[in-house]
C-alpha cells in the first residue's frame, strides 16, 4: 500500500534530519532555513534553569534506579526521561526567519529556550530546587548540553560493559541478539567515556551504588550541594510517576521500590574483545 505522505514532505524531512536545513514553501516563495551552530545563551537571563544536572549513562545502566533514588530527596527533582532534545523549533515562513534574525536569534537558540522552559516547568511543578535529567541518549550531545547551559553539571553513571549489553539483550532477546546488543550499547558507552574526559563531574559505579547506597548517595549529595537524607535509599516510599517503556526502566526490579544488589561480575575471559577497551577505561579489567 502506498504511503499517504507526500514525497515533497518526506524529502524535506530527510533533508532536515541530515543537514539541519528545511525547505519551506510560502506561496510562491521557497526558503531554506538554517538552524545555526549551537552557542551559549546570548543573555544569562535566557536560562530559567541556569545549572541543570544531567545524569549521563548508557541504556541499561541503572539510570532509572539512580533517578528514583535522587528524586526521593526533598530538594532534588529527577523526572522520567524527558527526551527534550528531540523537540525542535521550525520557522515555517520567510517572515518568521526574518523576525528571528532581527532579534539576533537562530533556530538553535530558540531550541535551547524551549528546552530550558520545559525543564523549568518540570522543576517548578515539583517544588524542589535542583533538577537532574537522565535521558540516556543525551550522551550523544553532551557537548551541546554544556554549550546550551554553561553552568550545567554532570553525573556519569557507569556499569560493567558486558552487563549493560546483556541487560539490553535480555529486554528483548528475539529482537536484540547479543551481537547487536554489544554494538548498540558500546556506542552509548564510548560517548559516555568521551563526555567524562571532556567535562568535569562525578562518576558513580552502578555496582557500588547497589552495594553501598548510603555512601554513594552521600557523595552525590555533596556534589549537588544538598544535605544527605536517609529516605533516598528507600525510594519506594516516594512517588516517581510511572515506570514504563520509552521514558525509563519498567521492569519488576525497579517497580519493587528496593535497591537490589547487582549481579556478580562476569569473568574477564567472558568479556568480548570489542568491550575490553571500555572495560579497562572504567576499571573493570586490569
Amino acid at each position: 500500500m502506498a504511503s499517504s505522505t507526500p514525497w515533497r514532505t518526506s524529502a524535506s524531512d530527510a533533508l532536515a534530519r541530515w543537514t539541519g536545513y528545511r525547505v519551506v514553501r510560502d506561496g510562491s516563495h521557497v526558503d531554506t532555513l538554517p538552524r545555526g551552530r549551537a552557542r551559549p545563551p546570548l543573555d544569562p537571563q535566557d536560562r530559567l534553569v541556569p545549572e541543570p544536572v544531567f545524569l549521563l549513562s548508557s541504556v541499561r545502566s541503572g539510570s532509572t534506579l539512580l533517578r528514583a533514588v535522587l528524586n526521593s530527596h526533598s530538594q532534588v527533582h529527577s523526572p522520567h526521561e524527558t527526551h527534550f532534545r528531540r523537540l525542535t523549533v521550525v520557522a515555517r515562513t520567510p517572515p518568521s526567519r526574518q523576525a528571528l534574525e532581527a532579534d539576533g536569534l537562530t533556530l538553535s537558540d530558540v531550541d535551547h529556550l524551549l528546552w530550558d522552559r520545559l525543564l523549568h516547568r518540570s522543576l517548578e511543578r515539583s517544588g524542589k530546587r535542583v533538577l537532574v535529567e537522565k535521558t540516556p541518549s543525551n550522551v550523544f550531545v553532551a557537548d551541546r548540553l554544556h554549550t546550551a547551559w554553561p553552568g550545567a553539571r554532570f553525573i556519569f553513571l557507569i556499569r560493567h560493559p558486558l552487563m549493560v549489553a546483556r541487560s539490553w539483550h535480555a529486554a528483548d532477546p528475539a529482537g536484540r541478539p547479543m551481537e547487536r546488543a554489544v554494538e548498540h550499547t558500546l556506542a552509548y558507552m564510548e560517548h559516555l567515556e568521551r563526555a567524562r574526559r571532556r567535562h568535569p563531574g562525578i562518576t558513580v559505579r552502578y555496582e557500588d551504588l547497589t552495594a553501598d547506597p548510603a555512601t554513594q548517595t552521600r557523595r552525590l549529595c555533596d556534589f549537588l550541594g544538598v544535605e544527605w537524607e536517609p529516605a533516598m535509599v528507600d525510594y519506594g516510599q516516594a512517588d516517581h510517576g510511572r515506570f514504563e517503556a520509552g521514558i525509563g526502566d519498567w521492569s519488576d526490579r525497579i517497580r519493587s521500590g528496593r535497591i537490589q544488589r547487582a549481579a556478580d561480575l562476569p569473568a574477564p575471559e567472558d568479556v568480548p574483545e570489542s568491550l575490553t577497551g571500555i572495560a579497562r577505561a572504567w576499571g573493570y579489567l586490569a
Side-chain angles (χ1 to χ4, degrees):
M1 182 176 179
S3 171
S4 61
T5 302
W7 72 266
R8 290 183 181 85
T9 300
S10 298
S12 180
D13 289 344
L15 179 68
R17 285 196 301 272
W18 285 102
T19 69
Y21 291 78
R22 179 180 296 276
V23 176
V24 179
R25 182 173 295 279
D26 178 30
S28 61
H29 300 284
V30 177
D31 201 14
T32 301
L33 307 179
R35 300 212 67 78
R37 292 181 60 86
R39 59 183 178 177
L42 303 182
D43 187 322
Q45 294 185 5
D46 285 347
R47 295 296 176 265
L48 300 176
V49 185
E51 296 183 355
V53 181
F54 295 107
L55 168 53
L56 300 184
S57 74
S58 169
V59 292
R60 311 306 299 178
S61 292
S63 61
T64 299
L65 171 64
L66 182 50
R67 85 95 176 164
V69 168
L70 292 172
N71 194 56
S72 298
H73 193 286
S74 65
Q75 294 302 312
V76 180
H77 175 52
S78 191
H80 58 71
E81 296 169 13
T82 65
H83 299 275
F84 65 84
R85 77 176 183 88
R86 302 295 189 181
L87 303 173
T88 60
V89 175
V90 176
R92 295 191 177 278
T93 63
S96 65
R97 177 188 179 187
Q98 180 183 1
L100 290 178
E101 290 179 340
D103 285 334
L105 295 170
T106 66
L107 291 181
S108 289
D109 293 333
V110 186
D111 285 342
H112 297 166
L113 291 170
L114 171 64
W115 298 350
D116 179 71
R117 179 64 184 92
L118 289 172
L119 295 184
H120 180 258
R121 178 180 185 273
S122 182
L123 182 60
E124 286 293 297
R125 286 166 61 89
S126 75
K128 300 182 180 183
R129 65 181 182 88
V130 178
L131 178 111
V132 180
E133 207 282 344
K134 58 85 59 186
T135 306
S137 62
N138 281 344
V139 296
F140 298 111
V141 293
D143 289 350
R144 183 169 183 183
L145 297 180
H146 188 265
T147 297
W149 286 277
R153 293 177 289 169
F154 295 95
I155 297 172
F156 306 108
L157 177 63
I158 64 174
R159 184 184 183 186
H160 192 291
L162 181 55
M163 301 305 287
V164 171
R166 285 177 174 174
S167 180
W168 197 76
H169 162 71
D172 182 7
R176 302 174 178 179
M178 191 60 192
E179 181 177 352
R180 180 179 169 224
V182 169
E183 180 181 4
H184 180 81
T185 56
L186 180 58
Y188 281 82
M189 292 185 279
E190 288 179 336
H191 278 81
L192 175 58
E193 178 59 15
R194 179 177 181 272
R196 288 180 70 221
R197 293 176 182 273
R198 291 173 65 88
H199 303 292
I202 182 173
T203 296
V204 177
R205 191 184 298 257
Y206 171 74
E207 294 83 4
D208 294 342
L209 175 66
T210 62
D212 188 359
T215 296
Q216 296 306 311
T217 52
R218 286 180 185 276
R219 290 181 63 227
L220 285 163
C221 285
D222 287 344
F223 176 74
L224 296 174
V226 297
E227 295 290 330
W228 182 73
E229 296 178 357
M232 298 176 69
V233 301
D234 191 17
Y235 73 89
Q237 301 303 308
D239 179 13
H240 306 294
R242 298 175 296 179
F243 292 116
E244 58 182 275
I247 55 174
D249 189 10
W250 66 96
S251 66
D252 291 339
R253 191 178 180 92
I254 192 67
R255 293 175 186 274
S256 73
R258 295 182 295 106
I259 298 177
Q260 301 178 43
R261 197 178 186 94
D264 293 338
L265 298 183
E269 59 269 22
D270 292 336
V271 179
E273 183 177 355
S274 59
L275 294 180
T276 56
I278 198 70
R280 287 195 183 97
W282 290 355
Y284 291 102
L285 288 179

